[in-house]
Amino acid sequence: FNDLRSKVAQDPLYVEASALCAGRTLVSEDNRMNLFLIIRFFLGRIPAGHIIEFGSYRGGTAGFMAHLAQRIHPGMQVYALDTFAGMPPTDAAVDAHSEGDFKDTSLDELRTFAGKAGLTNLHLVKGLFEDTAPGVLRESGPIALAHIDCDIQSAVAYSYDVTKPAMVQGGYWVFDDATYSSCLGATEVVEDLVIRRDGRNSEQIFPQYVFRN
């Protein structure tokens, strides 16, 4: 909108967080800017909660959000969930990605990265979402932002549904993949579950689908 991109790009906190995740994320700059705006200007207006990310790959966006949370919202934790070993089996009818995609990552390396960056609020959780998310959500308590960036239909559907009971009033679901041609399964989750089944209207459709609780 107008010169919003240039204003965000010059914000010192955005510059700090972006430098931290340089080369570690596939999330577009527009999408990262959108997350920055939500975390910086809007999470403080809703009940307190934490951030959870489904699909963290090399930890860039999780580190980006953790740095922002550490600076703006003391006590807010970021939970980054991933197999850290590539994608599980996919459905070729709706998912362009295949089993094993994004396996070029290392949990040990990510822990080293987080330690060097001083991200004491970043929790890296390895495993299938179905195995790890229930325990994480029991530990975390309320969630204020769920960043769903896991590409494939089954994972996106599970991520959305499992976070619903924990989401604070006014909390955010941000779907990173649902407008990409390679992620039709993610698009179908937004259409079938979020909009048709649950009757939610999107707050944003660019650069990401964003829904509020």
Side-chain angles (χ1 to χ4, degrees), residues 121-156:
N121 63 335
L122 176 58
H123 308 274
L124 301 162
V125 184
K126 179 181 174 64
L128 295 173
F129 300 154
E130 293 86 345
D131 297 332
T132 60
V136 167
L137 291 167
R138 282 194 298 271
E139 174 190 325
S140 70
I143 295 296
L145 168 63
H147 181 231
I148 299 177
D149 185 18
C150 44
D151 296 27
I152 60 177
Q153 186 180 54
S154 58
V156 173

Side-chain angles (χ1 to χ4, degrees), residues 40-151:
R40 178 157 191 179
F41 295 107
F42 296 98
L43 289 193
R45 302 183 184 187
I46 62 176
H50 302 290
I51 297 172
I52 188 167
E53 177 177 71
F54 293 89
S56 297
Y57 186 37
R58 299 190 64 234
T61 306
F64 174 85
M65 295 190 295
H67 181 77
L68 296 177
Q70 203 170 54
R71 292 286 304 277
I72 305 169
H73 306 290
M76 183 177 288
Q77 306 298 302
V78 177
Y79 298 88
L81 280 59
D82 201 294
T83 66
F84 298 110
M87 285 190 168
T90 65
D91 180 353
V94 289
D95 301 319
H97 292 291
S98 303
E99 183 176 2
D101 284 358
F102 305 116
K103 64 182 178 181
D104 55 330
T105 185
S106 162
L107 182 58
D108 288 340
E109 189 276 331
L110 289 180
R111 286 174 173 157
T112 300
F113 155 71
K116 287 182 177 178
L119 298 175
T120 56
N121 63 335
L122 176 58
H123 308 274
L124 301 162
V125 184
K126 179 181 174 64
L128 295 173
F129 300 154
E130 293 86 345
D131 297 332
T132 60
V136 167
L137 291 167
R138 282 194 298 271
E139 174 190 325
S140 70
I143 295 296
L145 168 63
H147 181 231
I148 299 177
D149 185 18
C150 44
D151 296 27

Side-chain angles (χ1 to χ4, degrees), residues 117-198:
L119 298 175
T120 56
N121 63 335
L122 176 58
H123 308 274
L124 301 162
V125 184
K126 179 181 174 64
L128 295 173
F129 300 154
E130 293 86 345
D131 297 332
T132 60
V136 167
L137 291 167
R138 282 194 298 271
E139 174 190 325
S140 70
I143 295 296
L145 168 63
H147 181 231
I148 299 177
D149 185 18
C150 44
D151 296 27
I152 60 177
Q153 186 180 54
S154 58
V156 173
Y158 181 81
S159 303
Y160 168 65
D161 277 337
V162 78
T163 53
K164 285 169 60 180
M167 188 63 70
V168 302
Q169 186 67 31
Y172 291 81
W173 284 283
V174 179
F175 293 86
D176 193 77
D177 309 305
T179 58
Y180 285 91
S181 59
S182 61
C183 301
L184 289 179
T187 309
E188 289 186 3
V189 171
V190 167
E191 293 171 337
D192 294 340
L193 302 188
V194 186
I195 297 173
R196 294 193 184 102
R197 186 192 69 186
D198 292 349

Side-chain angles (χ1 to χ4, degrees), residues 4-55:
L4 182 59
R5 274 195 191 92
S6 62
K7 288 180 178 178
V8 172
Q10 295 170 35
D11 186 292
L13 186 54
Y14 177 79
V15 173
E16 280 179 21
S18 294
L20 187 70
C21 74
R24 306 189 70 91
T25 180
L26 298 177
V27 172
S28 72
E29 185 166 30
D30 274 354
N31 289 10
R32 281 187 284 114
M33 285 183 168
N34 202 45
L35 288 168
F36 169 80
L37 291 169
I38 290 170
I39 293 169
R40 178 157 191 179
F41 295 107
F42 296 98
L43 289 193
R45 302 183 184 187
I46 62 176
H50 302 290
I51 297 172
I52 188 167
E53 177 177 71
F54 293 89

